[in-house]
Amino acid sequence: MVAILSLMVVMGFMMLGEWVSTRSRAYVPSVFITALLFLVGFWTIVPKNIVPAASFGTAFIQITQAVLLVHMGTLMDLKLLLKQWRAVVIALSGVVGTVVLTMGIGRLLFDWHAIVASVPPLTGGLVAAFLMTAGLKAQHITALVAFPVAMFVMHSMLGYPLTAWMLKRESRRLLQVRHVDVTVATADSATSATVQTTAQLPVCPLPTVPAKVKSVQPQLRHWQLPAAYDTSAFMLFKVAAVTGLAEWTAQLAHGTVNQYIICLVFGVIAHQLGFLEDAVLEKAGVFHWLMYGLLAYIFANLNIVKISMLSGILIPIVTLIVLGVLGMWIASSLLARPLGFSREMAFASALTALFGFPADYIVTHEVTEIMGSTAEEKQYLLDQMLPKMLVGGFATVSVASVIIASIFLKIL
């Protein structure tokens, strides 16, 4: 009974977040509302262990995140992914801008140790927050433990809506460009057809087209089974095989490359080779369950945040957030035009440092669902924005955050 009630509450928080996002047309992202509900719930009547009680524990997460990243690889084209080096440069420049402004101006306003403990979550979201928390506890600097956790909670309240707003502006721009291209292509085709018709002299009756048209059946790839055997279990087996190979490769690399980046790359390669289907976990029917579980596990970490923690350090945290986001905007804006990005897309890519995966995927997907009026438009927006957001998030949260947190722990 406890497990079922826990699952009901967790999914209820997810549901309310999605409803608010739909009602607000993605101006208020679902992850922001869900995080707020978990935070208030932990402050009031929700048990601290509700997420593991709902079956989303450590063992579940050890599988989920790696498997989801392999799935993300099946949503991207390899050539498209390799082109995203510009998103990496912009995202990392945003991190530099954040560090420069917060460490420069912030040092004039607040205590040095408070700044050092607070800044890393601005450059790496949850990963940096927990690296700093664990490091501070290991060094027995318990007075500063509240700063990285509070920073993660507070900057999410600004980061999610701001990112959604930037992506909506970018979506409008992309759709305008697409509509212009379609209109020009249609006009050119009509002109070409008219010229070709008038040039045919004398006019002769056109030959009759047979009514029966032979349909072309797609050929099966050499490792793809017939539809009767291509079951959900077979799809999950293939995903598990690719994930296992990716993690084995990461172990051989001894941490030189983050294991989750390798999972993403292996997913892309397996998809390009035809071994994994498009959106494989969605076809297997488990994607949403895994995604909800991962989000719940992330939000469960809010159970250590107390009201007294936030009220006592609110002013320095909010000030550093404003400085950090301003640094991101300045740095990304300077590089946007030289690297072929709009300012909105560049800023959104830099903002992924605040939260990373899976929030960057969810916010992007919610915006495309709202802004696209047809399936073709939604897919077009995803193709244009999702690779930039995912790659930017990996560069900051998976790589830069680990480096920055380790450096900052040494300079405390």
Side-chain angles (χ1 to χ4, degrees):
M1 186 67 178
V2 174
I4 293 299
L5 289 176
S6 299
L7 180 63
M8 182 186 71
V9 172
V10 169
M11 298 313 297
F13 288 169
M14 301 287 179
M15 173 195 72
L16 291 173
E18 292 178 345
W19 285 4
V20 171
S21 176
T22 301
R23 183 67 177 175
S24 67
R25 294 184 58 82
Y27 276 112
V28 183
S30 64
V31 284
F32 167 68
I33 296 298
T34 304
L36 200 59
L37 289 172
F38 270 102
L39 189 61
V40 174
F42 288 137
W43 286 346
T44 52
I45 61 173
V46 174
K48 305 290 187 183
N49 66 336
I50 189 170
V51 171
S55 78
F56 304 127
T58 305
F60 177 87
I61 295 304
Q62 287 176 346
I63 298 172
T64 301
Q65 188 155 354
V67 165
L68 280 172
L69 288 171
V70 170
H71 167 81
M72 294 300 140
T74 68
L75 303 178
M76 287 185 263
D77 181 82
L78 182 58
K79 294 180 180 178
L80 191 64
L81 184 62
L82 293 175
K83 292 179 180 178
Q84 299 312 319
W85 64 268
R86 297 177 180 85
V88 173
V89 173
I90 288 176
L92 293 178
S93 73
V95 170
V96 173
T98 296
V99 172
V100 169
L101 234 60
T102 53
M103 300 296 287
I105 299 177
R107 189 176 181 180
L108 302 176
L109 303 174
F110 307 111
D111 178 68
W112 165 256
H113 293 91
I115 296 171
V116 173
S118 304
V119 169
L122 270 173
T123 66
L126 184 65
V127 174
F130 281 94
L131 285 174
M132 290 301 298
T133 301
L136 290 169
K137 288 180 179 178
Q139 296 183 31
H140 305 290
I141 314 177
T142 55
L144 298 177
V145 169
F147 280 86
V149 179
M151 174 61 80
F152 172 70
V153 174
M154 294 299 295
H155 79 52
S156 299
M157 297 181 182
L158 174 64
Y160 293 148
L162 184 58
T163 304
W165 184 45
M166 289 295 107
L167 290 178
K168 292 189 78 169
R169 288 171 60 90
E170 175 67 1
S171 296
R172 293 192 188 96
R173 187 191 69 81
L174 289 171
L175 289 175
Q176 289 176 355
V177 171
R178 184 174 186 269
H179 291 158
V180 169
D181 291 343
V182 170
T183 302
V184 171
T186 304
D188 290 344
S189 298
T191 303
S192 176
T194 303
V195 171
Q196 185 176 5
T197 302
T198 56
Q200 292 175 350
L201 295 174
V203 178
C204 300
L206 293 174
T208 304
V209 179
K212 186 178 180 180
V213 179
K214 184 186 293 184
S215 61
V216 179
Q217 296 294 332
Q219 294 182 350
L220 289 176
R221 290 167 289 196
H222 62 273
W223 43 51
Q224 184 180 7
L225 296 178
Y229 298 95
D230 196 15
T231 63
S232 296
F234 180 57
M235 294 180 193
L236 290 173
F237 169 79
K238 291 191 293 183
V239 171
V242 174
T243 306
L245 183 60
E247 294 198 338
W248 177 70
T249 304
Q251 290 178 357
L252 292 179
H254 300 290
T256 304
V257 181
N258 185 274
Q259 64 171 334
Y260 296 131
I261 297 177
I262 295 177
C263 286
L264 176 70
V265 172
F266 272 54
V268 173
I269 294 172
H271 176 245
Q272 293 296 302
L273 294 175
F275 185 68
L276 294 180
E277 297 86 343
D278 296 335
V280 61
L281 292 182
E282 292 185 36
K283 290 183 178 179
V286 299
F287 171 74
H288 290 95
W289 177 254
L290 295 175
M291 184 63 78
Y292 288 138
L294 178 59
L295 281 174
Y297 183 81
I298 292 173
F299 293 141
N301 293 293
L302 297 175
N303 64 11
I304 66 174
V305 179
K306 297 179 175 61
I307 297 178
S308 58
M309 291 169 58
L310 294 180
S311 60
I313 58 179
L314 190 62
I315 293 178
I317 290 294
V318 171
T319 304
L320 290 173
I321 290 173
V322 172
L323 290 173
V325 173
L326 180 61
M328 287 183 184
W329 179 77
I330 293 173
S332 61
S333 296
L334 290 175
L335 289 178
R337 180 171 291 182
L339 294 180
F341 277 47
S342 66
R343 287 187 176 181
E344 291 81 4
M345 190 68 248
F347 191 25
S349 297
L351 285 169
T352 57
L354 298 178
F355 38 80
F357 179 82
D360 50 8
Y361 171 84
I362 294 172
V363 172
T364 307
H365 201 273
E366 286 180 349
V367 169
T368 58
E369 285 293 318
I370 294 295
M371 299 302 294
S373 56
T374 65
E376 290 77 12
E377 287 186 353
K378 293 175 183 178
Q379 188 59 49
Y380 170 74
L381 292 176
L382 273 179
D383 290 343
Q384 295 295 319
M385 298 190 299
L386 185 59
K388 298 180 178 67
M389 295 294 288
L390 287 178
V391 173
F394 290 132
T396 53
V397 174
S398 299
V399 181
S401 65
V402 178
I403 298 172
I404 290 175
S406 61
I407 293 173
F408 275 48
L409 283 170
K410 293 178 181 178
I411 63 176
L412 271 171

